[in-house]
Amino acid sequence: MTTVDLPLLPLGRGTDLNSERGVECPGDLPSASDPDLVARALAAKEALGDRVFVLGHHYQRDEVIQFADVTGDSFKLARDAAGRPDAEYIVFCGVHFMAESADILTSPDQQVILPDLAAGCSMADMARLTQVEMAWAAMTEAGVAESVVPVTYMNSSADIKAFCGRNGGVVCTSSNAEVALEWAFAQKPDAKVLFLPDQHLGRNTAVLKMGLTLDDCVVWDPHRPNGGLTPEELRDATMILWKGHCSVHGRFTAEVVDELRATIPDVQILVHPECAHEVVLKADLVGSTEFIITTIEAAPAGSSWAIGTELNLVKRLAAAHPDKRITFLDKTVCYCSTMNRIDLPHFVWAMESLVAGQVVNRIEVDPETEKWALVALERMLALPGKTHKD
Ligand code: 13P
Ligand code: SF4
């Protein structure tokens, strides 16, 4: 079993479309071996002062997270971005869909910067707008579209969020998927939900939180004719799950949970709801990255935990809590390669460019997409405070 004190491995290429397109940095990156990188980042941050607000997702590398003004999960960061109307620049240390959401939630004169444009998300890329529109047309044909409320996970592109906004739907995150589904099912009599793009978060929330059964769920496969479903299957389903998943959380297995339970006395298994249903069923606690952090903070000294989420976060938790035994729930190293693209050289390059008056790697959503994506995001932000916890 690999524990969290693994050495860092060289990073591979991400599987997201952005990285497949080979997005290159449009400027001269400082060398990763420059011993002054930390001092340069500090100096740039100081020079920009309150004009810049740096957001860091929990999966970011330590070398970058140390410069974040706030850290958080996707939900907290979306709220935090919206809560700083005075910052001229929002530097988003996270992935593309998060920066898009920050752009949508901030005013037009605020500029959102993603230090490396290749920091995409393979899950978000699994639902393209044309595919979703084809699915919607098939649901219309089957006579079910008018009962369907589309719900998209935050981990989706802005045009998918806009699709949900236009069609009476909502965005959710792993912190509020349960309350978002409650909202969706209350929108129409006999409502069905089309859940995009993470089948696991959708299934786990429907079955473990909403009292639905696995038989109430069907999976829409965008690569098969009619999603691989008959009109009857669509009519009978309550949850139509898009066939998408997270390549990081998809690695955790029920077998490793069993192995750890056999080898670590009283170990508690704590996983993210992007994990497969059979893993979540075997876990003690399930929740977003923010929930994972607060659970470990509140845990008694001497307790043992195996955590199923991205490795940068698990390593940071292990370092911050030496009085607790923290093990990674995978046999091999498992970083999110696209999150890891935001490294110190890219951060320094983006910040120093701002100091020089040059905005690089701006993320800007077009006005029509922004208008409807904002509708879906604001519906999420207006949901009551109950969050997906355990
Ligand atoms: P949360 O930030 O909602 O915990 O999701 C984790 C994740 O996969 C972000 O890409
Ligand atoms: Fe996407 Fe998974 Fe990476 Fe999150 S952890 S950015 S869902 S690939």
Side-chain angles (χ1 to χ4, degrees):
M1 173 55 47
T2 301
T3 53
V4 290
D5 52 357
L6 281 167
L8 286 172
L9 290 189
L11 298 173
R13 282 171 62 88
T15 53
D16 60 296
L17 291 183
N18 285 328
S19 43
E20 280 166 11
R21 279 188 211 115
V23 178
E24 298 295 341
C25 176
D28 284 334
L29 278 184
S31 157
S33 59
D34 179 345
D36 294 331
L37 282 181
V38 168
R40 287 172 63 174
L42 280 171
K45 209 162 172 239
E46 203 177 305
L48 291 163
D50 287 345
R51 294 172 64 204
V52 71
F53 187 47
V54 180
L55 298 166
H57 189 272
H58 291 311
Y59 294 163
Q60 290 290 296
R61 299 158 175 264
D62 286 351
E63 68 190 42
V64 166
I65 210 89
Q66 63 180 318
F67 296 107
D69 293 307
V70 288
T71 59
D73 63 7
S74 311
F75 180 68
K76 182 167 177 281
L77 293 179
R79 271 204 325 218
D80 287 344
R84 279 299 293 263
D86 297 334
E88 212 174 312
Y89 307 120
I90 307 284
V91 173
F92 211 118
C93 299
V95 289
H96 193 268
F97 69 79
M98 298 178 182
E100 279 187 330
S101 298
D103 180 53
I104 294 163
L105 289 164
T106 50
S107 72
D109 49 354
Q110 290 181 287
Q111 307 192 59
V112 177
I113 290 118
L114 182 66
D116 186 347
L117 292 179
C121 166
S122 52
M123 179 204 284
D125 288 337
M126 288 175 194
R128 318 301 295 179
L129 182 61
T130 47
Q131 295 172 324
V132 174
E133 284 174 341
M134 280 168 67
W136 197 251
M139 287 175 211
T140 305
E141 178 95 349
V144 299
E146 61 193 32
S147 339
V148 176
V149 179
V151 178
T152 189
Y153 191 19
M154 181 67 108
N155 303 19
S156 57
S157 57
D159 55 9
I160 299 295
K161 293 183 177 78
F163 174 89
C164 291
R166 263 196 311 274
N167 290 287
V170 69
V171 176
C172 74
T173 72
S174 58
S175 295
N176 60 18
E178 179 186 357
V179 73
L181 283 189
E182 278 167 8
W183 177 90
F185 283 121
Q187 295 310 298
K188 298 175 180 179
D190 300 323
K192 300 174 187 299
V193 164
L194 167 63
F195 195 91
L196 301 149
D198 184 11
Q199 59 169 307
H200 299 304
L201 178 64
R203 185 180 294 108
N204 289 330
T205 311
V207 174
L208 300 174
K209 297 291 170 186
M210 308 297 297
L212 299 181
T213 67
L214 289 176
D215 288 341
D216 294 322
C217 306
V218 291
V219 176
W220 179 280
D221 181 349
H223 300 292
R224 294 180 63 193
N226 213 43
L229 298 170
T230 63
E232 291 69 36
E233 284 171 323
L234 277 175
R235 283 196 280 271
D236 290 348
T238 308
M239 281 293 281
I240 304 166
L241 305 168
W242 193 261
K243 194 171 181 204
H245 67 276
C246 168
S247 46
V248 176
H249 293 90
R251 296 175 56 93
F252 301 114
T253 63
E255 290 70 41
V256 175
V257 174
D258 292 341
E259 277 174 38
L260 284 171
R261 286 206 193 278
T263 51
I264 305 178
D266 297 326
V267 68
Q268 295 192 72
I269 311 291
L270 174 56
V271 301
H272 195 281
E274 288 174 18
C275 294
H277 191 57
E278 62 271 19
V279 175
V280 167
L281 281 179
K282 283 185 177 260
D284 297 294
L285 294 166
V286 185
S288 76
T289 47
E290 203 66 33
F291 173 71
I292 289 171
I293 292 167
T294 52
T295 301
I296 294 298
E297 281 170 356
S303 54
S304 296
W305 297 87
I307 305 182
T309 195
E310 208 266 353
L311 187 51
N312 279 315
L313 173 57
V314 180
K315 287 175 73 172
R316 200 145 50 233
L317 284 170
H321 299 277
D323 57 329
K324 298 157 201 175
R325 180 170 181 188
I326 295 177
T327 306
F328 186 52
L329 189 66
D330 192 15
K331 292 183 176 177
T332 51
V333 172
C334 170
Y335 293 102
C336 173
S337 58
T338 49
M339 283 271 183
N340 259 353
R341 285 180 177 271
I342 312 291
D343 56 10
L344 200 45
H346 282 89
F347 181 72
V348 168
W349 170 70
M351 295 287 283
E352 288 183 346
S353 301
L354 291 178
V355 174
Q358 198 195 349
V359 176
V360 292
N361 288 5
R362 181 171 179 192
I363 302 299
E364 210 174 357
V365 176
D366 71 84
E368 183 63 13
T369 304
E370 174 162 317
K371 176 177 131 191
W372 287 109
L374 185 60
V375 169
L377 279 163
E378 285 185 334
R379 283 185 187 131
M380 175 187 83
L381 292 171
L383 291 172
K386 195 174 155 203
T387 56
H388 181 117
K389 287 243 159 115
D390 51 6

